Amino acid sequence: MVLLIGENINVMSQSIGAAFNERQSEPVRSLAKAATEAGMDYLDLNIGPAKKHGAELMPWLVSTVQEVSDLPLSLDTTNAAAIEAGLRLCKRRALVNSVSLQPERIEQLLPLVTEYKAEMIGLLWGSDGMPRDANERCMLTVDLVYKANKIGISNQDIWIDPIATPVSGEINQVTACVEFMAMLPDIAPGCKSVVGLSNVSNGTPQHLRPLLNRAYLIMLMRYGLHAAIVDAFDKELQEIARGRAQNIVSVVHHAMDNENIDLNALNKMELDYVKTVRVLTGQALYSDSWLEI
Ligand code: THG
């Protein structure tokens, strides 16, 4: 079972982004209500960098969403003043998203996590940018957990995000996140884990994105993934997260282990999963038409 955080209330979104800046509460309420009814455990409120008006936008968004949803919220912006203004209004225990290791970010955000008794997502983005492999992710984790512990945040309140990257990019980064999941319990006992799942399918053909997201979710779940930021309206994905798609899960596990699979015995959907896992593990090369090969 994986906790699901709805990604849809997002300033980048075509349908809802404009409503943020014009403070139109109705589209926000209706999306928040729909994502809640779809079965999310948390809602991510992503206002982007919001350098100028973040400190007004975030509290407006928090109260608008809380008019129709009792879910706990994950506050997502690089603007620390906006995070604080949002935290003040959260009725449930909040999750402070994207606490990366850049000195100015971590120094501003950790005290807010303590002050507002929140939980946090520790994003493995260091002063030198993106970690290059699973080992660099481990080093960043140790650094981040040390700094968080020092200020009084305990491991159970730290959700580590190894940063999922697009399958169309460097495949070693996609496999590194899976590898990292297996290492996390040893390097940071008690810490939780989370990924922005849709990152993996960024830039791929729209109709194929859910398949990549679902297959990658199963791969990460195999190593104990705690939570994922996901499209709230992908029903199949939710079945997988709730442990109700065991048939597909075992197909994915076989493909991950690169076992000899009798492809003729599989139906179309199972075959699509096998091909997708082969791409996500680096056994096959990604192209926009990977299913047709
Ligand atoms: N880790 C953490 N937080 C994160 C991310 C992460 N927050 C942002 C992001 N990554 C996760 N959220 C999204 C939200 C939307 C999409 C992907 C990730 C997305 N949206 C569609 C698109 O852009 O094509 C549709 C948008 C629309 O509705 O128009 O892909 O990794 N901690």
Side-chain angles (χ1 to χ4, degrees):
M1 295 276 285
V2 170
L3 287 181
L4 298 178
I5 306 171
E7 73 183 11
N8 307 71
I9 305 176
N10 183 330
V11 72
M12 301 287 281
S13 154
Q14 308 242 320
S15 51
I16 200 78
F20 282 24
N21 298 321
E22 292 157 28
R23 307 286 195 276
Q24 297 170 353
S25 42
E26 193 39 46
V28 171
R29 273 197 295 264
S30 103
L31 183 59
K33 188 161 183 284
T36 305
E37 285 166 359
M40 291 299 101
D41 301 299
Y42 280 78
L43 297 176
D44 189 54
L45 308 185
N46 187 336
I47 61 169
K51 285 211 177 87
K52 268 194 186 157
H53 304 293
E56 294 98 71
L57 179 55
M58 188 59 98
W60 171 80
L61 194 56
V62 168
S63 27
T64 305
V65 167
Q66 287 185 153
E67 285 171 31
V68 295
S69 178
D70 293 324
L71 290 180
L73 304 174
S74 152
L75 307 186
D76 200 352
T77 170
T78 42
N79 179 338
I83 295 275
E84 176 158 29
L87 283 172
R88 264 194 211 117
L89 297 181
C90 285
K91 294 183 199 159
R92 304 275 305 271
R93 190 170 192 210
L95 193 51
V96 174
N97 193 351
S98 301
V99 182
S100 63
L101 277 139
Q102 291 135 297
E104 71 285 359
R105 306 258 314 129
I106 196 162
E107 279 159 25
Q108 288 180 313
L109 290 174
L110 290 183
L112 294 178
V113 174
T114 344
E115 184 179 345
Y116 290 88
K117 300 183 171 52
E119 298 187 72
M120 59 176 275
I121 295 182
L123 193 72
L124 300 184
W125 180 275
S127 332
D128 304 329
M130 184 80 185
R132 282 167 296 192
D133 56 21
N135 283 323
E136 287 195 4
R137 284 173 169 82
C138 288
M139 293 194 306
L140 290 174
T141 300
V142 170
D143 191 6
L144 194 139
V145 169
Y146 175 79
K147 288 180 170 131
N149 287 166
K150 207 163 68 175
I151 196 172
I153 303 165
S154 58
N155 285 16
Q156 63 189 11
D157 294 335
I158 305 172
W159 303 25
I160 299 290
D161 182 342
I163 311 185
T165 59
V167 66
S168 56
E170 210 193 311
I171 200 62
N172 290 346
Q173 288 286 30
V174 175
T175 54
C177 282
V178 180
E179 217 183 304
F180 172 80
M181 281 300 149
M183 300 160 94
L184 181 62
D186 290 327
I187 54 161
C191 281
K192 294 166 176 163
S193 53
V194 58
V195 294
L197 194 66
S198 305
N199 298 1
V200 79
S201 63
N202 231 316
T204 68
Q206 203 62 28
H207 66 291
L208 297 173
R209 292 192 65 176
L211 181 60
L212 283 162
N213 298 342
R214 294 167 194 167
Y216 199 47
L217 179 65
I218 297 171
M219 292 169 60
L220 293 163
M221 281 175 74
R222 191 178 197 186
Y223 297 104
L225 180 70
H226 172 74
I229 306 171
V230 300
D231 174 8
F233 305 112
D234 185 340
K235 283 286 161 206
E236 274 298 310
L237 185 84
Q238 225 174 110
E239 290 299 301
I240 291 165
R242 306 301 184 206
R244 291 192 295 255
Q246 286 319 306
N247 170 46
I248 284 303
V249 169
S250 71
V251 168
V252 166
H253 288 184
H254 288 309
M256 286 172 80
D257 297 338
N258 201 1
E259 286 171 5
N260 261 330
I261 300 173
D262 178 7
L263 298 180
N264 293 314
L266 302 181
N267 65 32
K268 168 80 167 76
M269 184 179 63
E270 293 165 342
L271 196 55
D272 284 352
Y273 271 94
V274 170
K275 289 177 178 173
T276 303
V277 171
R278 286 186 173 164
V279 168
L280 287 169
T281 53
Q283 299 171 53
L285 272 182
Y286 175 80
S287 79
D288 278 353
S289 52
W290 81 94
L291 291 181
E292 277 130 56
I293 300 167

